[in-house]
Amino acid sequence: MTVWYEGPLAAFDTETTGVDPERDRIVSAALVVQEAPGAPVRAVRWLVDPGVPVPERASAVHGLTGEHLREHGRPPAEAVGEIARALAERWAEGLPLVVMNAPFDLTLLDRESRRHRDTPLIGAAGSPPPCVLDPRVLDKHLDRYRKGRRTLTALCAHYGVELAEAHDAAADATAALGVVREVGRRHARRLSSLSPAELHSLQTVWHAAQARGLQAWFARRGSDEEVDPAWPLRAEVPAAA
């Protein structure tokens, strides 16, 4: 019987106008699917005209300017609807979805879906339940005392996964998928008996514990910064966006 990290996986990533998932917008996104380790990766990409200015600091990260997106990007309502349907189709197939730092990308997509389609990403009538694998949450739980950062670049270096074009949505999604496979292999004794659905449930608990730990760390340093314990996306919807 094939264990989950040796079988089919999908992965999703976005590039955005900023780092606030409640208010910022998607400028590009990618969904990749790989049937097995080493198999070709199939990628679907979206380029989106967000309808708002793209800050220079964001363009410096992903290389997408407002001018380029106005010329080549698709209307956000159209693109966001396609993205949401594509994810729902993968979930309906029972395909686990890898999302690095899922509360950012999935919350952002949920807010875009509500903004442009008046529809939540998860929980709409008839929509299948998601099964998400977050390499950041998995790595922090399974190797919690390792020093160093837990960014995608850092995880790729630690797990020996190639990241050829950082901040390209398809490249980042593919790298995150590779990291999850390596996490599975290195921690096979703890993970091989668990199904992706069981891991999804466990990650809600693990992420909440990680958030509480980070919140306590901030408090000890006199910071009032809040850490949301919700995973894989934030539940609360802002009054205005």
Side-chain angles (χ1 to χ4, degrees):
M1 181 176 172
T2 302
V3 292
W4 60 265
Y5 49 84
E6 301 290 352
L9 293 175
F12 176 69
D13 188 70
T14 65
E15 297 299 328
T16 69
T17 59
V19 296
D20 182 352
E22 301 288 0
R23 298 185 180 279
D24 279 307
R25 311 298 174 93
I26 295 172
V27 299
S28 71
L31 176 64
V32 305
V33 176
Q34 187 184 46
E35 298 298 328
V41 171
R42 306 191 308 273
V44 181
R45 298 173 173 85
W46 292 269
L47 196 64
V48 186
D49 175 6
V52 299
V54 180
E56 289 184 6
R57 62 182 179 277
S59 295
V61 172
H62 48 59
L64 298 170
T65 64
E67 181 181 5
H68 179 82
L69 294 167
R70 285 190 295 273
E71 183 176 353
H72 301 286
R74 295 173 60 188
E78 179 182 298
V80 167
E82 267 193 25
I83 295 167
R85 286 191 295 273
L87 295 191
E89 287 169 3
R90 301 294 80 75
W91 287 330
E93 293 169 359
L95 205 59
L97 182 71
V98 175
V99 188
M100 174 70 186
N101 191 17
F104 177 81
D105 289 85
L106 295 185
T107 298
L108 184 74
L109 180 57
D110 175 79
R111 302 319 189 237
E112 287 277 60
S113 186
R114 293 172 187 268
R115 182 179 294 120
H116 296 292
R117 304 169 62 239
D118 199 26
T119 304
L121 176 64
I122 297 172
S127 64
C131 182
V132 177
L133 299 172
D134 188 332
R136 186 170 182 268
V137 175
L138 292 170
D139 176 72
K140 287 182 72 174
H141 178 78
L142 295 163
D143 197 359
R144 67 184 69 183
Y145 300 114
R146 188 179 80 249
K147 294 182 179 180
R149 303 183 70 190
R150 310 282 178 143
T151 62
L152 180 59
T153 300
L155 293 182
C156 286
H158 178 71
Y159 287 100
V161 174
E162 181 182 4
L163 178 55
E165 298 178 65
H167 301 297
D168 169 85
D172 285 358
T174 301
L177 189 154
V179 168
V180 162
R181 291 199 190 279
E182 286 301 319
V183 169
R185 293 188 188 105
R186 291 199 191 185
H187 300 279
R189 189 174 65 175
R190 300 171 66 181
L191 297 180
S192 61
S193 64
L194 296 170
S195 69
E198 289 170 325
L199 268 178
H200 179 99
S201 296
L202 286 169
Q203 285 169 102
T204 64
V205 178
W206 296 346
H207 180 269
Q210 292 162 11
R212 288 193 297 271
L214 183 56
Q215 188 77 71
W217 186 87
F218 283 137
R220 288 195 298 271
R221 282 153 181 76
S223 171
D224 59 359
E225 184 169 348
E226 295 186 4
V227 184
D228 195 320
W231 184 95
L233 60 78
R234 298 179 183 177
E236 205 159 319
V237 181

